[in-house]
Amino acid sequence: MLIDKDNFKNGKKSEAEKLRESLFMKRTHGTISLGEEKQNKADTFCEGYKNFIDKAKTEREAVAFAIDMAQKAGFTEFDLNKNYKPGDKIYYVNREKALIIAIIGRSGVKHGAKIAVAHVDSPRLDIKPNPLYEISDLALLKTHYYGGIKKYQWTAMPLSLHGKIIKRDGTSVDVAVGEDENDPVFCVTDLLPHLAKEQMTKPLQKAIEAENLSILVGSRPFKTDSGSELVKLNIMRILNEKYGIIESDFLSAELEIVPAFKAKDVGFDRSMIGAYGHDDRVCAYPSLMALLDYKGIPEKTIITVLADKEEIGSDGNTGMKSAFFRYFIADIAKLDKVDYRRVLTKSMCLSADVNAAFDPLYSTVYDQANSCYLNNGVVITKYTGSGGKYGTSDASAEFMGYIRNLLEKNDVLWQTGELGKVDAGGGGTIAKYMANLDVNVVDVGVPVLSMHSPFEVVSKIDVYMTYKAINVFFSEEN
Ligand code: MN
Ligand code: MN
């Protein structure tokens, strides 16, 4: 290094410096390489994203939001008995929890489709089927956590309740409490430090028991009547007045507990966004917008899928292991009189999901040369998995090459990333389920700090670059 510096003195680059420039990989901070105009575009795009994430805290709300946007953009619900022509805009809803949106291309799906898939479920606390109980004059709701959470992060902060209840007469009621300024909120209590001597010595995994993640929902008894469970009775009375439900209606409900706060800019420079549920709505929104914003008629049919159940392994009929996506492809393949299997084989997919951004406070779990960083753009992840690439689709060199070339020539700021050190842990995405359908697929998405916590952090530039990446993927004619 010193020798190079000396050679630099006369204003000329040394041979080593020139060679280094042409051969070595460079990492540039996004704000430096992008310039102010693109940064402003990113900031503006993220205002729309913040609005989305505040209104779409559950998979049902995300799907409802996306349908509303799609309808406003001229998309209509897919009808099996209708014929579609190039340029037609359609959407298909799966049980209110997953959504497929598509624009029919000039060649339809004869040569395959271009697909972006993201998930709209996030880690949270689900209400148990028989949840309401009273103990020591407090009313609580039992929960069963959903997805990978650190339990201690969910105590002692404002929480809201979202979901749907199917009543005994078959009618349904939607619930959302804790988001409006005037709404009450809920919480999980935690032990005061003064009495937590034993708790504080426990490993994080054990310090908070799952059965202790009960939600505090009331403390005032029904009138002054005598009898047992008067606090619980009072809560049931309130719920009955507001929603017309009785206790057994909890059995046929999907109620989810999520943080009650809204998305906020993070940092004096407002360069980041802190919010609940970036994973993976921070990729769902760009996937949705890239399709809705598409101008003209694409060569191949372009498709965005918003899936459910990723956080618990993509099982269930709204997750990507379900056949609903395959059935949809079969239905649109029929319009072109082609075999849907050949459509899948020729299709390309961006599995849009987040990756773990390098966190200097926990640097030991990352391989710095193979990590993604905040503000370095959309992250392309060749493989996820754990314990020696177990449980990943591992994108091919050819497909990595295609995507890399596409992003480079369209000036999309991008980086590569791996999910931490090989022995540190790991995880998976939807990519492998797409690969199982014989689709060419790679993971792209936004680097996230504090992933799976109630307050995840992303960079605005990275969100925008993920949108750009999906955008150019859809626009590319081959
Ligand atoms: Mn995810
Ligand atoms: Mn996740």
Side-chain angles (χ1 to χ4, degrees), residues 31-47:
T31 49
I32 293 162
S33 62
L34 278 185
E36 210 170 315
E37 196 190 321
K38 275 190 185 161
Q39 281 181 55
N40 291 341
K41 274 190 181 165
D43 293 351
T44 307
F45 180 78
C46 283
E47 289 305 306

Side-chain angles (χ1 to χ4, degrees), residues 206-223:
K206 297 257 165 66
I208 309 282
E209 302 283 343
E211 298 299 336
N212 273 358
L213 290 177
S214 281
I215 311 296
L216 184 60
V217 294
S219 67
R220 209 172 264 184
F222 177 67
K223 292 182 181 167

Side-chain angles (χ1 to χ4, degrees), residues 320-383:
M320 283 314 281
K321 278 189 198 162
S322 149
F324 82 92
F325 172 71
R326 197 155 29 103
Y327 291 168
F328 175 79
I329 294 293
D331 288 340
I332 57 170
K334 220 186 271 174
L335 299 170
D336 294 328
K337 297 181 178 60
V338 287
D339 185 336
Y340 82 93
R341 292 174 301 180
R342 297 289 79 80
V343 173
L344 288 167
T345 306
K346 291 176 192 160
S347 289
M348 290 192 276
C349 175
L350 297 184
S351 162
D353 206 343
V354 297
N355 198 336
F358 177 77
D359 186 339
L361 302 182
Y362 298 95
S363 60
T364 53
V365 299
Y366 298 89
D367 166 14
Q368 294 200 27
N370 285 285
S371 289
C372 60
Y373 295 78
L374 239 58
N375 285 313
N376 277 258
V378 55
V379 52
I380 312 298
T381 308
K382 187 174 182 295
Y383 52 85

Side-chain angles (χ1 to χ4, degrees), residues 119 121-123 147-148 279-280 310-312 353-354 428-429 451-452 456:
H119 66 94
D121 62 317
S122 298
D279 177 7
D280 181 36
E310 193 276 343
E311 295 296 355
I312 55 168
D353 206 343
V354 297
T429 66
M451 196 198 288
H452 279 210
E456 302 176 311

